[in-house]
Amino acid sequence: MRTFRIGTTALAAATAALALTLTACGGSDSGSGVKADASQGGGTAEGSKNTDKTAGTGGDKGTRSSQASTGQGTSGSGSGSRSGSGSGKVTVADSAGTRPCNGDEMSYSVLHRLPKQQGEHLLITARNADSKPCWITSYPSVILGDTSNVLRHSAKDAPGGSTRITVKPGTKVYAAVNLFTDNAKTHTSADLSLALRDQTGDTGPGTEQQAFDSKGVPSKFTWSSADVTNWNTAKPYDF
């Protein structure tokens, strides 16, 4: 799995010049958002009781060595240049000695759920493949297909995005990209780029992923707009 560095340059709100790479889901049918962590002081990912149906961690299907904006994006689409510089931020552990996850230690998979149905979304699973715990917060920065806009946070998501979730080695956290086809201009792809965000909105190393269906086959998805939910220890929309 190839990674690329995500810059820390913020997007000027509602401008056209973007230097980025990454995008994510919140369905118009999703009456309730994902569950927020019980404690605002920080949760712990103890591992999922459900068996993931995703296959692998997604493929590196392009030559995108781009970077996602650190600012809150829009759900619109478009193409653009994806370049930028590294963050240069110093990683500092919290009072318990747990450092923030930067993405390098994470193994990702993306499951395409409810294709062409109401509630269609991409389930992003991030597993701590390191030997030490780290904490995660907010929602992932996501860019879908060959578009260049970072997906916005879902307005229907439950609160709790500022909570730190401690992800122990081998355990998982989840986020969802809600897909909508609410106008005639649509895009279709099986690929996406994603990166972790910290509490300031800055992003770390990013990675390109591919969506799979429940049988482990690469699965294309179609959207005209999309948004993304916060990370959580429970699977969003776990029907």
Side-chain angles (χ1 to χ4, degrees):
M1 177 179 66
R2 189 193 49 169
T3 61
F4 52 87
R5 188 68 198 171
I6 298 176
T8 58
T9 306
L11 274 179
T15 60
L18 303 174
L20 33 243
T21 1
L22 286 138
T23 341
C25 149
S28 54
D29 65 305
S30 57
S32 59
V34 298
K35 302 174 185 176
D37 276 349
S39 169
Q40 288 296 315
T44 302
E46 296 293 347
S48 170
K49 295 181 181 178
N50 302 310
T51 300
D52 289 331
K53 296 181 180 179
T54 51
T57 58
D60 179 8
K61 292 295 182 181
T63 58
R64 305 186 336 176
S65 57
S66 33
Q67 295 155 343
S69 165
T70 62
Q72 179 167 322
T74 65
S75 62
S77 61
S79 60
S81 171
R82 304 180 185 185
S83 61
S85 59
S87 147
K89 291 187 65 176
V90 176
T91 299
V92 179
D94 61 17
S95 58
T98 303
R99 61 176 179 79
C101 306
N102 65 15
D104 289 336
E105 66 283 277
M106 289 296 180
S107 174
Y108 299 97
S109 62
V110 181
L111 174 64
H112 186 193
R113 305 176 82 186
L114 302 177
K116 299 180 180 180
Q117 301 179 52
Q118 188 176 19
E120 181 179 8
H121 64 279
L122 305 176
L123 175 65
I124 300 173
T125 301
R127 182 179 67 86
N128 185 354
D130 200 4
S131 60
K132 297 179 180 180
C134 61
W135 57 262
I136 197 170
T137 192
S138 189
Y139 57 94
S141 289
V142 179
I143 292 176
L144 299 179
D146 60 359
T147 64
S148 59
N149 289 332
V150 179
L151 295 186
R152 69 175 186 266
H153 179 234
S154 172
K156 294 185 177 181
D157 197 7
S162 62
T163 300
R164 293 183 179 183
I165 302 174
T166 298
V167 189
K168 295 181 178 180
T171 60
K172 302 172 184 177
V173 288
Y174 308 91
V177 175
N178 301 305
L179 303 169
F180 309 105
T181 51
D182 44 18
N183 63 55
K185 186 177 180 180
T186 61
H187 304 269
T188 299
S189 182
D191 302 319
L192 65 154
S193 302
L194 64 92
L196 303 183
R197 299 164 61 96
D198 63 19
Q199 289 180 312
T200 69
D202 287 342
T203 56
T207 177
E208 294 181 13
Q209 298 293 319
Q210 188 173 42
F212 292 85
D213 63 18
S214 59
K215 296 181 180 180
V217 178
S219 182
K220 290 188 176 182
F221 50 89
T222 298
W223 78 99
S224 57
S225 63
D227 56 29
V228 59
T229 67
N230 289 320
W231 290 111
N232 207 291
T233 57
K235 292 182 180 179
Y237 319 125
D238 196 16
F239 308 109

